[in-house]
Amino acid sequence: MIVAVIGLGYWGPNMVRNFLACPGVNRVLACDLDAERCEQTARRFPGLEIVADLDEALSRADAAVLATPLSTHHALGMRALDAGCHLLVEKPFTETSAQAQELIDTARCRKLTLMVDHTFLYTGAVRKMAALNQSGDLGRLLYFDSVRVNLGLFQHDTNVIWDLAPHDLSIMDHILGGAPEAVQAVGARHYYEHEDMAYLTVRYPNDLLAHIHVNWISPVKVRQILVGGSNRMLMYDDMEPSEKIKVYDKGVEIKDREQVWETLVSYRTGDMWAPRLEQAEALSLIAREFIASIKEGRRPLTDGESGLRVVRVLEAAQKSLTQGNVFVPLAD
Protein backbone atom coordinates (compact mmCIF):
# COMPACT_ATOMS: atom_id res chain seq x y z
CA MET A 1 0.00 0.00 0.00
CA ILE A 2 1.24 3.51 -0.86
CA VAL A 3 0.54 6.27 1.69
CA ALA A 4 0.85 9.99 0.92
CA VAL A 5 1.52 12.31 3.86
CA ILE A 6 0.30 15.82 3.04
CA GLY A 7 1.94 18.53 5.15
CA LEU A 8 5.40 18.38 6.72
CA GLY A 9 5.12 20.96 9.48
CA TYR A 10 5.07 19.92 13.14
CA TRP A 11 3.03 16.71 12.93
CA GLY A 12 3.70 15.50 9.39
CA PRO A 13 7.24 14.12 9.99
CA ASN A 14 5.89 12.06 12.92
CA MET A 15 3.35 10.54 10.56
CA VAL A 16 6.07 9.86 7.99
CA ARG A 17 8.22 8.06 10.56
CA ASN A 18 5.40 5.80 11.73
CA PHE A 19 4.03 4.92 8.30
CA LEU A 20 7.52 4.09 7.03
CA ALA A 21 7.69 1.52 9.85
CA CYS A 22 4.09 0.29 9.50
CA PRO A 23 3.53 -3.29 8.25
CA GLY A 24 1.59 -3.34 5.00
CA VAL A 25 2.95 0.00 3.78
CA ASN A 26 5.21 -0.40 0.74
CA ARG A 27 6.01 3.23 0.09
CA VAL A 28 5.46 6.63 1.70
CA LEU A 29 5.16 9.78 -0.39
CA ALA A 30 5.24 13.29 1.07
CA CYS A 31 4.02 16.62 -0.21
CA ASP A 32 4.38 20.17 1.14
CA LEU A 33 4.37 23.66 -0.35
CA ASP A 34 7.57 24.51 1.52
CA ALA A 35 10.57 23.14 -0.44
CA GLU A 36 12.90 23.54 2.55
CA ARG A 37 10.63 21.40 4.73
CA CYS A 38 10.62 18.76 2.03
CA GLU A 39 14.41 18.72 1.86
CA GLN A 40 14.80 18.54 5.65
CA THR A 41 12.29 15.69 5.95
CA ALA A 42 13.87 13.78 3.05
CA ARG A 43 17.26 13.98 4.79
CA ARG A 44 15.75 12.60 8.01
CA PHE A 45 13.99 9.70 6.27
CA PRO A 46 15.98 8.25 3.33
CA GLY A 47 13.12 5.91 2.39
CA LEU A 48 10.73 8.80 1.83
CA GLU A 49 9.83 9.99 -1.67
CA ILE A 50 9.05 13.70 -2.07
CA VAL A 51 6.35 14.55 -4.63
CA ALA A 52 6.02 18.25 -5.39
CA ASP A 53 2.56 18.15 -6.96
CA LEU A 54 -0.39 17.29 -4.69
CA ASP A 55 -2.57 15.83 -7.44
CA GLU A 56 0.27 13.57 -8.56
CA ALA A 57 0.82 12.36 -4.99
CA LEU A 58 -2.90 11.60 -4.56
CA SER A 59 -3.11 9.84 -7.93
CA ARG A 60 -0.25 7.52 -6.98
CA ALA A 61 -1.37 6.81 -3.40
CA ASP A 62 -3.88 4.35 -1.97
CA ALA A 63 -4.30 6.38 1.22
CA ALA A 64 -3.66 9.97 2.29
CA VAL A 65 -2.75 11.47 5.66
CA LEU A 66 -3.61 15.15 6.20
CA ALA A 67 -1.25 16.97 8.59
CA THR A 68 -2.13 20.47 7.45
CA PRO A 69 -3.80 23.53 9.09
CA LEU A 70 -7.41 23.11 10.17
CA SER A 71 -8.68 25.56 7.55
CA THR A 72 -7.48 23.20 4.79
CA HIS A 73 -8.89 19.93 6.11
CA HIS A 74 -12.20 19.99 4.29
CA ALA A 75 -10.93 21.08 0.88
CA LEU A 76 -7.88 18.82 0.88
CA GLY A 77 -9.88 15.95 2.37
CA MET A 78 -12.41 16.17 -0.45
CA ARG A 79 -9.59 16.19 -3.02
CA ALA A 80 -8.12 13.06 -1.48
CA LEU A 81 -11.46 11.25 -1.40
CA ASP A 82 -12.27 12.34 -4.96
CA ALA A 83 -8.90 10.86 -5.99
CA GLY A 84 -9.97 7.53 -4.48
CA CYS A 85 -7.70 7.71 -1.41
CA HIS A 86 -8.59 6.40 2.02
CA LEU A 87 -8.16 9.31 4.42
CA LEU A 88 -6.64 9.97 7.86
CA VAL A 89 -7.11 13.56 9.11
CA GLU A 90 -5.24 15.31 11.93
CA LYS A 91 -7.34 16.70 14.81
CA PRO A 92 -9.55 18.66 14.93
CA PHE A 93 -11.38 16.99 12.08
CA THR A 94 -12.91 20.07 10.39
CA GLU A 95 -13.91 23.67 11.07
CA THR A 96 -17.65 22.88 11.04
CA SER A 97 -19.92 19.91 11.55
CA ALA A 98 -21.33 20.44 8.04
CA GLN A 99 -17.84 19.97 6.59
CA ALA A 100 -17.32 16.86 8.71
CA GLN A 101 -20.63 15.40 7.57
CA GLU A 102 -19.77 15.99 3.92
CA LEU A 103 -16.46 14.14 4.30
CA ILE A 104 -18.24 11.28 6.08
CA ASP A 105 -20.93 11.05 3.40
CA THR A 106 -18.39 11.21 0.57
CA ALA A 107 -16.20 8.50 2.08
CA ARG A 108 -19.24 6.28 2.63
CA CYS A 109 -20.45 6.84 -0.93
CA ARG A 110 -17.03 5.97 -2.35
CA LYS A 111 -16.57 3.05 0.09
CA LEU A 112 -13.38 4.58 1.47
CA THR A 113 -12.04 4.47 5.01
CA LEU A 114 -12.17 7.77 6.91
CA MET A 115 -10.26 8.15 10.18
CA VAL A 116 -9.44 11.02 12.57
CA ASP A 117 -6.14 11.27 14.44
CA HIS A 118 -7.41 11.37 18.03
CA THR A 119 -3.98 10.34 19.28
CA PHE A 120 -4.69 9.95 22.98
CA LEU A 121 -7.29 7.24 22.42
CA TYR A 122 -4.45 4.96 21.35
CA THR A 123 -2.30 5.54 24.45
CA GLY A 124 -2.04 2.81 27.06
CA ALA A 125 -3.42 5.18 29.71
CA VAL A 126 -6.67 6.05 27.92
CA ARG A 127 -7.15 2.46 26.80
CA LYS A 128 -6.89 1.40 30.45
CA MET A 129 -9.34 4.12 31.53
CA ALA A 130 -11.86 2.88 28.98
CA ALA A 131 -11.38 -0.75 30.08
CA LEU A 132 -11.90 0.14 33.74
CA ASN A 133 -15.13 1.96 32.90
CA GLN A 134 -16.43 -0.74 30.56
CA SER A 135 -15.80 -3.42 33.20
CA GLY A 136 -17.98 -1.54 35.68
CA ASP A 137 -15.14 -1.02 38.18
CA LEU A 138 -15.85 2.71 38.44
CA GLY A 139 -19.59 2.30 38.94
CA ARG A 140 -21.96 5.06 37.78
CA LEU A 141 -19.93 7.94 36.35
CA LEU A 142 -20.37 11.25 38.20
CA TYR A 143 -17.87 13.65 36.63
CA PHE A 144 -15.00 14.10 34.18
CA ASP A 145 -12.55 16.88 35.01
CA SER A 146 -9.52 17.71 32.86
CA VAL A 147 -6.72 20.30 32.86
CA ARG A 148 -4.50 20.86 29.82
CA VAL A 149 -2.34 23.95 30.33
CA ASN A 150 1.15 25.16 29.44
CA LEU A 151 3.03 28.30 28.36
CA GLY A 152 2.32 28.46 24.58
CA LEU A 153 2.23 27.49 21.81
CA PHE A 154 0.04 30.38 20.61
CA GLN A 155 -1.82 29.65 17.38
CA HIS A 156 -2.46 32.48 14.94
CA ASP A 157 -5.46 30.97 13.16
CA THR A 158 -7.54 29.62 16.04
CA ASN A 159 -8.14 29.89 19.79
CA VAL A 160 -7.05 27.69 22.68
CA ILE A 161 -10.30 25.70 22.64
CA TRP A 162 -9.88 24.48 19.07
CA ASP A 163 -6.16 23.88 19.66
CA LEU A 164 -6.08 21.97 22.96
CA ALA A 165 -9.62 20.87 23.86
CA PRO A 166 -10.02 18.29 21.04
CA HIS A 167 -7.64 15.98 22.94
CA ASP A 168 -9.79 16.02 26.08
CA LEU A 169 -13.09 16.05 24.19
CA SER A 170 -12.09 12.92 22.27
CA ILE A 171 -11.11 11.21 25.54
CA MET A 172 -14.37 12.38 27.12
CA ASP A 173 -16.40 11.06 24.19
CA HIS A 174 -14.57 7.72 24.30
CA ILE A 175 -14.81 7.21 28.08
CA LEU A 176 -18.24 8.65 28.86
CA GLY A 177 -20.07 7.60 25.70
CA GLY A 178 -23.64 8.72 25.29
CA ALA A 179 -24.75 12.09 23.97
CA PRO A 180 -24.03 15.33 25.84
CA GLU A 181 -26.96 17.70 26.22
CA ALA A 182 -25.38 21.15 26.30
CA VAL A 183 -22.07 23.02 26.36
CA GLN A 184 -20.98 26.23 28.06
CA ALA A 185 -17.67 28.02 27.45
CA VAL A 186 -16.02 30.91 29.25
CA GLY A 187 -12.81 32.36 27.83
CA ALA A 188 -10.51 35.37 27.89
CA ARG A 189 -8.27 37.13 25.37
CA HIS A 190 -5.19 38.64 26.98
CA TYR A 191 -2.82 39.21 24.08
CA TYR A 192 -4.61 39.16 20.71
CA GLU A 193 -7.92 38.34 19.02
CA HIS A 194 -8.12 34.67 20.04
CA GLU A 195 -8.94 33.27 23.49
CA ASP A 196 -5.77 32.09 25.23
CA MET A 197 -7.53 30.46 28.18
CA ALA A 198 -10.98 28.90 28.52
CA TYR A 199 -13.21 26.70 30.64
CA LEU A 200 -15.74 24.32 29.08
CA THR A 201 -18.62 22.66 30.92
CA VAL A 202 -20.36 19.80 29.14
CA ARG A 203 -23.64 18.60 30.60
CA TYR A 204 -24.82 15.00 30.22
CA PRO A 205 -28.04 13.29 31.31
CA ASN A 206 -28.34 12.06 34.91
CA ASP A 207 -26.25 14.93 36.35
CA LEU A 208 -23.01 13.73 34.77
CA LEU A 209 -20.77 16.77 34.25
CA ALA A 210 -17.55 17.21 32.30
CA HIS A 211 -15.29 20.20 32.87
CA ILE A 212 -12.28 21.08 30.72
CA HIS A 213 -9.69 23.78 31.43
CA VAL A 214 -7.36 24.77 28.57
CA ASN A 215 -4.73 27.50 28.80
CA TRP A 216 -1.76 28.81 26.80
CA ILE A 217 -0.46 31.12 29.55
CA SER A 218 0.23 28.79 32.46
CA PRO A 219 3.68 28.85 34.11
CA VAL A 220 3.62 25.05 34.35
CA LYS A 221 2.63 22.24 32.02
CA VAL A 222 -0.25 20.15 33.40
CA ARG A 223 -1.98 17.25 31.68
CA GLN A 224 -4.42 15.71 34.16
CA ILE A 225 -7.84 14.07 34.06
CA LEU A 226 -10.01 13.05 37.02
CA VAL A 227 -12.89 10.63 36.50
CA GLY A 228 -15.24 10.12 39.42
CA GLY A 229 -17.43 7.06 39.75
CA SER A 230 -19.82 5.87 42.42
CA ASN A 231 -17.52 2.91 43.20
CA ARG A 232 -14.01 4.12 42.38
CA MET A 233 -12.23 7.18 41.06
CA LEU A 234 -9.16 7.51 38.87
CA MET A 235 -6.58 10.12 38.00
CA TYR A 236 -4.64 10.27 34.74
CA ASP A 237 -1.46 12.35 34.84
CA ASP A 238 0.24 12.34 31.45
CA MET A 239 3.31 14.07 32.89
CA GLU A 240 4.05 11.12 35.17
CA PRO A 241 6.90 9.03 33.74
CA SER A 242 5.57 5.68 34.96
CA GLU A 243 2.37 5.63 37.05
CA LYS A 244 0.18 7.64 34.69
CA ILE A 245 -3.06 6.06 35.97
CA LYS A 246 -3.96 5.81 39.64
CA VAL A 247 -7.19 4.17 40.76
CA TYR A 248 -8.63 5.15 44.14
CA ASP A 249 -11.04 2.95 46.07
CA LYS A 250 -12.82 5.96 47.50
CA GLY A 251 -16.39 7.10 47.50
CA VAL A 252 -19.42 8.43 49.30
CA GLU A 253 -22.27 6.42 50.81
CA ILE A 254 -25.63 7.86 51.80
CA LYS A 255 -27.88 6.22 54.39
CA ASP A 256 -31.36 7.66 54.82
CA ARG A 257 -33.25 7.54 58.09
CA GLU A 258 -36.93 8.29 58.57
CA GLN A 259 -36.38 12.05 58.69
CA VAL A 260 -34.64 13.93 55.91
CA TRP A 261 -32.38 15.81 58.34
CA GLU A 262 -31.14 12.49 59.70
CA THR A 263 -29.51 11.50 56.39
CA LEU A 264 -26.06 10.08 57.09
CA VAL A 265 -23.12 10.68 54.80
CA SER A 266 -20.18 8.31 55.16
CA TYR A 267 -16.91 8.27 53.25
CA ARG A 268 -15.19 5.14 52.03
CA THR A 269 -11.41 5.30 51.87
CA GLY A 270 -9.62 2.26 50.49
CA ASP A 271 -6.46 1.44 48.61
CA MET A 272 -4.86 3.17 45.65
CA TRP A 273 -3.17 1.21 42.90
CA ALA A 274 -1.47 1.99 39.61
CA PRO A 275 -2.34 -0.53 36.86
CA ARG A 276 0.24 -1.66 34.33
CA LEU A 277 -0.09 0.11 30.97
CA GLU A 278 0.80 -0.87 27.42
CA GLN A 279 3.94 0.93 26.27
CA ALA A 280 3.40 1.01 22.48
CA GLU A 281 3.68 4.42 20.82
CA ALA A 282 0.23 5.83 20.10
CA LEU A 283 1.09 7.04 16.59
CA SER A 284 2.39 3.59 15.69
CA LEU A 285 -0.96 2.11 16.74
CA ILE A 286 -2.81 4.78 14.75
CA ALA A 287 -0.88 3.89 11.60
CA ARG A 288 -1.54 0.20 12.14
CA GLU A 289 -5.24 0.78 12.83
CA PHE A 290 -5.60 2.88 9.68
CA ILE A 291 -3.98 0.27 7.45
CA ALA A 292 -5.79 -2.63 9.15
CA SER A 293 -9.21 -0.98 8.87
CA ILE A 294 -8.60 -0.39 5.14
CA LYS A 295 -7.56 -4.00 4.50
CA GLU A 296 -10.36 -5.45 6.64
CA GLY A 297 -13.05 -3.11 5.30
CA ARG A 298 -14.18 -2.05 8.77
CA ARG A 299 -14.64 1.23 10.63
CA PRO A 300 -11.56 2.36 12.56
CA LEU A 301 -11.74 3.11 16.28
CA THR A 302 -11.56 6.87 15.65
CA ASP A 303 -13.74 7.10 12.58
CA GLY A 304 -15.31 10.16 11.00
CA GLU A 305 -18.31 9.98 13.31
CA SER A 306 -16.08 10.33 16.38
CA GLY A 307 -14.45 13.34 14.75
CA LEU A 308 -17.88 14.81 14.03
CA ARG A 309 -18.98 14.44 17.67
CA VAL A 310 -15.92 16.38 18.84
CA VAL A 311 -16.47 19.12 16.25
CA ARG A 312 -20.10 19.51 17.37
CA VAL A 313 -18.96 20.20 20.93
CA LEU A 314 -16.30 22.64 19.69
CA GLU A 315 -18.91 24.46 17.60
CA ALA A 316 -21.26 24.72 20.56
CA ALA A 317 -18.42 26.00 22.78
CA GLN A 318 -17.57 28.67 20.20
CA LYS A 319 -21.23 29.69 20.02
CA SER A 320 -21.37 29.93 23.81
CA LEU A 321 -18.38 32.29 23.79
CA THR A 322 -20.07 34.63 21.33
CA GLN A 323 -23.48 34.53 23.07
CA GLY A 324 -22.44 35.58 26.57
CA ASN A 325 -21.30 32.20 27.94
CA VAL A 326 -24.75 30.61 27.90
CA PHE A 327 -25.35 26.85 27.74
CA VAL A 328 -25.79 25.89 24.08
CA PRO A 329 -27.93 22.77 23.45
CA LEU A 330 -26.41 20.02 21.35
CA ALA A 331 -28.50 18.50 18.57
CA ASP A 332 -28.99 14.73 18.67
Short mmCIF file of all heavy atoms in Angstrom, two decimals, residues 207-235:
data_model
loop_
_atom_site.label_atom_id
_atom_site.label_comp_id
_atom_site.label_asym_id
_atom_site.label_seq_id
_atom_site.Cartn_x
_atom_site.Cartn_y
_atom_site.Cartn_z
N ASP A 207 -27.16 14.09 35.55
CA ASP A 207 -26.25 14.93 36.35
C ASP A 207 -24.78 14.58 36.17
O ASP A 207 -23.96 14.89 37.05
CB ASP A 207 -26.62 14.85 37.85
CG ASP A 207 -27.94 15.55 38.14
OD1 ASP A 207 -28.24 16.54 37.45
OD2 ASP A 207 -28.65 15.11 39.05
N LEU A 208 -24.42 13.95 35.08
CA LEU A 208 -23.01 13.73 34.77
C LEU A 208 -22.46 15.01 34.14
O LEU A 208 -23.01 15.52 33.18
CB LEU A 208 -22.87 12.56 33.80
CG LEU A 208 -21.48 12.30 33.19
CD1 LEU A 208 -20.45 12.04 34.28
CD2 LEU A 208 -21.54 11.13 32.21
N LEU A 209 -21.37 15.53 34.73
CA LEU A 209 -20.77 16.77 34.25
C LEU A 209 -19.33 16.54 33.82
O LEU A 209 -18.59 15.80 34.47
CB LEU A 209 -20.78 17.84 35.35
CG LEU A 209 -22.09 18.60 35.62
CD1 LEU A 209 -21.87 19.58 36.76
CD2 LEU A 209 -22.56 19.34 34.38
N ALA A 210 -18.95 17.20 32.73
CA ALA A 210 -17.55 17.21 32.30
C ALA A 210 -17.07 18.65 32.30
O ALA A 210 -17.79 19.56 31.88
CB ALA A 210 -17.42 16.61 30.90
N HIS A 211 -15.85 18.86 32.80
CA HIS A 211 -15.29 20.20 32.87
C HIS A 211 -13.88 20.15 32.31
O HIS A 211 -13.09 19.28 32.68
CB HIS A 211 -15.27 20.69 34.32
CG HIS A 211 -14.91 22.14 34.45
ND1 HIS A 211 -13.65 22.56 34.82
CD2 HIS A 211 -15.63 23.27 34.24
CE1 HIS A 211 -13.62 23.88 34.83
NE2 HIS A 211 -14.80 24.34 34.50
N ILE A 212 -13.57 21.09 31.41
CA ILE A 212 -12.28 21.08 30.72
C ILE A 212 -11.66 22.47 30.83
O ILE A 212 -12.29 23.47 30.46
CB ILE A 212 -12.45 20.68 29.24
CG1 ILE A 212 -12.97 19.24 29.14
CG2 ILE A 212 -11.14 20.83 28.48
CD1 ILE A 212 -13.37 18.82 27.74
N HIS A 213 -10.44 22.53 31.32
CA HIS A 213 -9.69 23.78 31.43
C HIS A 213 -8.52 23.73 30.45
O HIS A 213 -7.68 22.82 30.53
CB HIS A 213 -9.18 23.97 32.87
CG HIS A 213 -8.28 25.15 33.04
ND1 HIS A 213 -7.38 25.24 34.08
CD2 HIS A 213 -8.12 26.29 32.31
CE1 HIS A 213 -6.72 26.38 33.98
NE2 HIS A 213 -7.14 27.03 32.92
N VAL A 214 -8.46 24.68 29.53
CA VAL A 214 -7.36 24.77 28.57
C VAL A 214 -6.74 26.16 28.66
O VAL A 214 -7.45 27.16 28.85
CB VAL A 214 -7.82 24.46 27.13
CG1 VAL A 214 -8.10 22.98 26.96
CG2 VAL A 214 -9.06 25.28 26.76
N ASN A 215 -5.41 26.24 28.50
CA ASN A 215 -4.73 27.50 28.80
C ASN A 215 -3.37 27.52 28.11
O ASN A 215 -2.60 26.56 28.21
CB ASN A 215 -4.56 27.61 30.32
CG ASN A 215 -4.14 28.99 30.77
OD1 ASN A 215 -3.54 29.74 30.02
ND2 ASN A 215 -4.45 29.32 32.02
N TRP A 216 -3.07 28.63 27.41
CA TRP A 216 -1.76 28.81 26.80
C TRP A 216 -0.81 29.65 27.66
O TRP A 216 0.34 29.85 27.28
CB TRP A 216 -1.90 29.56 25.47
CG TRP A 216 -2.35 28.74 24.31
CD1 TRP A 216 -2.18 27.40 24.10
CD2 TRP A 216 -3.04 29.23 23.15
NE1 TRP A 216 -2.72 27.03 22.90
CE2 TRP A 216 -3.25 28.13 22.31
CE3 TRP A 216 -3.50 30.49 22.77
CZ2 TRP A 216 -3.91 28.26 21.08
CZ3 TRP A 216 -4.15 30.62 21.56
CH2 TRP A 216 -4.36 29.51 20.71
N ILE A 217 -1.28 30.19 28.78
CA ILE A 217 -0.46 31.12 29.55
C ILE A 217 -0.26 30.64 30.99
O ILE A 217 -0.26 31.42 31.93
CB ILE A 217 -1.07 32.54 29.52
CG1 ILE A 217 -2.55 32.52 29.93
CG2 ILE A 217 -0.91 33.16 28.15
CD1 ILE A 217 -3.15 33.92 30.03
N SER A 218 -0.06 29.35 31.15
CA SER A 218 0.23 28.79 32.46
C SER A 218 1.75 28.70 32.66
O SER A 218 2.48 28.37 31.72
CB SER A 218 -0.38 27.38 32.57
OG SER A 218 0.15 26.69 33.68
N PRO A 219 2.24 28.96 33.87
CA PRO A 219 3.68 28.85 34.11
C PRO A 219 4.18 27.41 34.14
O PRO A 219 5.38 27.16 34.06
CB PRO A 219 3.87 29.52 35.47
CG PRO A 219 2.56 29.31 36.16
CD PRO A 219 1.52 29.41 35.08
N VAL A 220 3.26 26.47 34.29
CA VAL A 220 3.62 25.05 34.35
C VAL A 220 2.80 24.27 33.33
O VAL A 220 1.73 24.70 32.92
CB VAL A 220 3.39 24.45 35.76
CG1 VAL A 220 4.32 25.09 36.77
CG2 VAL A 220 1.94 24.62 36.18
N LYS A 221 3.33 23.13 32.94
CA LYS A 221 2.63 22.24 32.02
C LYS A 221 1.90 21.17 32.82
O LYS A 221 2.52 20.43 33.58
CB LYS A 221 3.62 21.59 31.05
CG LYS A 221 2.96 20.73 29.97
CD LYS A 221 4.01 20.22 28.98
CE LYS A 221 3.36 19.42 27.86
NZ LYS A 221 4.35 18.98 26.86
N VAL A 222 0.59 21.12 32.67
CA VAL A 222 -0.25 20.15 33.40
C VAL A 222 -1.11 19.42 32.39
O VAL A 222 -1.72 20.03 31.51
CB VAL A 222 -1.14 20.85 34.44
CG1 VAL A 222 -1.99 19.82 35.19
CG2 VAL A 222 -0.30 21.65 35.43
N ARG A 223 -1.15 18.10 32.53
CA ARG A 223 -1.98 17.25 31.68
C ARG A 223 -2.64 16.22 32.60
O ARG A 223 -2.13 15.13 32.80
CB ARG A 223 -1.13 16.52 30.62
CG ARG A 223 -0.39 17.44 29.66
CD ARG A 223 -1.33 17.97 28.60
NE ARG A 223 -0.63 18.72 27.56
CZ ARG A 223 -0.41 20.02 27.59
NH1 ARG A 223 -0.82 20.71 28.64
NH2 ARG A 223 0.20 20.64 26.60
N GLN A 224 -3.77 16.58 33.18
CA GLN A 224 -4.42 15.71 34.16
C GLN A 224 -5.90 15.55 33.86
O GLN A 224 -6.55 16.47 33.38
CB GLN A 224 -4.26 16.27 35.58
CG GLN A 224 -2.86 16.21 36.13
CD GLN A 224 -2.78 16.69 37.57
OE1 GLN A 224 -3.68 17.36 38.07
NE2 GLN A 224 -1.69 16.38 38.24
N ILE A 225 -6.41 14.35 34.17
CA ILE A 225 -7.84 14.07 34.06
C ILE A 225 -8.27 13.31 35.31
O ILE A 225 -7.62 12.35 35.74
CB ILE A 225 -8.16 13.24 32.81
CG1 ILE A 225 -7.91 14.05 31.54
CG2 ILE A 225 -9.62 12.75 32.83
CD1 ILE A 225 -8.13 13.26 30.25
N LEU A 226 -9.37 13.76 35.91
CA LEU A 226 -10.01 13.05 37.02
C LEU A 226 -11.34 12.50 36.54
O LEU A 226 -12.11 13.23 35.91
CB LEU A 226 -10.25 13.98 38.22
CG LEU A 226 -9.04 14.40 39.05
CD1 LEU A 226 -9.46 15.49 40.04
CD2 LEU A 226 -8.48 13.20 39.80
N VAL A 227 -11.60 11.23 36.80
CA VAL A 227 -12.89 10.63 36.50
C VAL A 227 -13.46 10.07 37.79
O VAL A 227 -12.82 9.23 38.44
CB VAL A 227 -12.77 9.51 35.44
CG1 VAL A 227 -14.15 8.90 35.18
CG2 VAL A 227 -12.18 10.05 34.15
N GLY A 228 -14.61 10.57 38.18
CA GLY A 228 -15.24 10.12 39.42
C GLY A 228 -16.38 9.17 39.16
O GLY A 228 -17.27 9.46 38.35
N GLY A 229 -16.35 8.02 39.84
CA GLY A 229 -17.43 7.06 39.75
C GLY A 229 -18.02 6.78 41.11
O GLY A 229 -17.41 7.11 42.15
N SER A 230 -19.18 6.16 41.15
CA SER A 230 -19.82 5.87 42.42
C SER A 230 -19.07 4.79 43.21
O SER A 230 -19.19 4.72 44.43
CB SER A 230 -21.27 5.42 42.19
OG SER A 230 -21.31 4.30 41.31
N ASN A 231 -18.29 3.95 42.52
CA ASN A 231 -17.52 2.91 43.20
C ASN A 231 -16.06 3.30 43.39
O ASN A 231 -15.50 3.14 44.49
CB ASN A 231 -17.59 1.59 42.42
CG ASN A 231 -18.98 1.01 42.39
OD1 ASN A 231 -19.82 1.35 43.21
ND2 ASN A 231 -19.22 0.14 41.43
N ARG A 232 -15.42 3.76 42.33
CA ARG A 232 -14.01 4.12 42.38
C ARG A 232 -13.77 5.38 41.56
O ARG A 232 -14.61 5.78 40.75
CB ARG A 232 -13.13 2.97 41.85
CG ARG A 232 -13.14 1.75 42.74
CD ARG A 232 -12.18 0.68 42.21
NE ARG A 232 -12.11 -0.46 43.11
CZ ARG A 232 -12.93 -1.50 43.08
NH1 ARG A 232 -13.90 -1.55 42.18
NH2 ARG A 232 -12.79 -2.49 43.94
N MET A 233 -12.63 5.98 41.78
CA MET A 233 -12.23 7.18 41.06
C MET A 233 -10.83 6.97 40.51
O MET A 233 -10.05 6.19 41.07
CB MET A 233 -12.26 8.39 41.98
CG MET A 233 -13.61 8.61 42.66
SD MET A 233 -13.57 9.96 43.85
CE MET A 233 -15.26 9.85 44.49
N LEU A 234 -10.51 7.67 39.43
CA LEU A 234 -9.16 7.51 38.87
C LEU A 234 -8.60 8.86 38.47
O LEU A 234 -9.33 9.82 38.19
CB LEU A 234 -9.14 6.54 37.69
CG LEU A 234 -9.90 6.85 36.41
CD1 LEU A 234 -9.12 7.81 35.51
CD2 LEU A 234 -10.19 5.57 35.64
N MET A 235 -7.28 8.94 38.46
CA MET A 235 -6.58 10.12 38.00
C MET A 235 -5.58 9.72 36.93
O MET A 235 -4.84 8.75 37.10
CB MET A 235 -5.85 10.83 39.14
CG MET A 235 -5.17 12.12 38.67
SD MET A 235 -4.34 13.05 39.98
CE MET A 235 -2.87 12.05 40.17
#
